[in-house]
Amino acid sequence: LKEPHAQAKVGFLTSGYKERYYAWETLIMIKKALIVSVINFMSQVGPRVQCLSAIGITCAFAALHSHCRPYGHGTGKNEMGHPLLHKLEWRAYEVSFFTLFMGLVLYTDEVQQPAYAWVAYILSVAIVVINIAYLVYIWKHILPVEFPQSPCSD
């Protein structure tokens, strides 16, 4: 994976990780596949069980991420090293948890009552606002970063 030819092909998947965790992106894809599977294959049990299952998957992978801390250490101030990537990934877990939890609350019997339609509206707006805020957070932190040149860009 250290050869320029390999870096040109798969470097975008492995470059931010510690050498020991070069395949971490595979775990991220497994997490996404598990959540999609829960949503698709557990539709008969209802949205509450789906949300709780997705929350469980998210928490398990967040704990794994926190334990392993797979991102490498940046050497320069603007390099995409451990502190920035870890912070962005952790914020993504927080936003995922918040979104799933608020989605779970939306499906409670109380919020489904017509008298509490305003609660459903507020929760829906909060979900959208938090997700947009995360996108802005990413934009704010990634745009100032100077990315290294690809070895094959010459």
Side-chain angles (χ1 to χ4, degrees), residues 5 15 18 29 59 69-70 78 85 89 100 106 114 125 141 146 149:
H5 185 339
S15 63
K18 294 175 185 173
M29 291 299 126
C59 288
R69 300 182 70 84
N78 290 329
L85 291 175
E89 186 73 17
L100 290 166
L106 279 171
V125 169
H141 284 83
E146 296 175 19
Q149 287 284 64

Side-chain angles (χ1 to χ4, degrees), residues 30-43 50:
I30 289 170
K31 174 193 73 165
K32 291 176 182 180
L34 284 171
I35 290 175
V36 168
S37 297
V38 161
I39 291 168
N40 287 321
F41 300 125
M42 295 181 77
S43 59
Q50 287 174 306

Side-chain angles (χ1 to χ4, degrees), residues 86-105:
H86 179 71
K87 187 188 303 185
L88 291 172
E89 186 73 17
W90 194 252
R91 294 289 178 259
Y93 281 116
E94 291 172 345
V95 169
S96 295
F97 178 81
F98 176 83
T99 300
L100 290 166
F101 185 75
M102 289 298 114
L104 181 63
V105 172

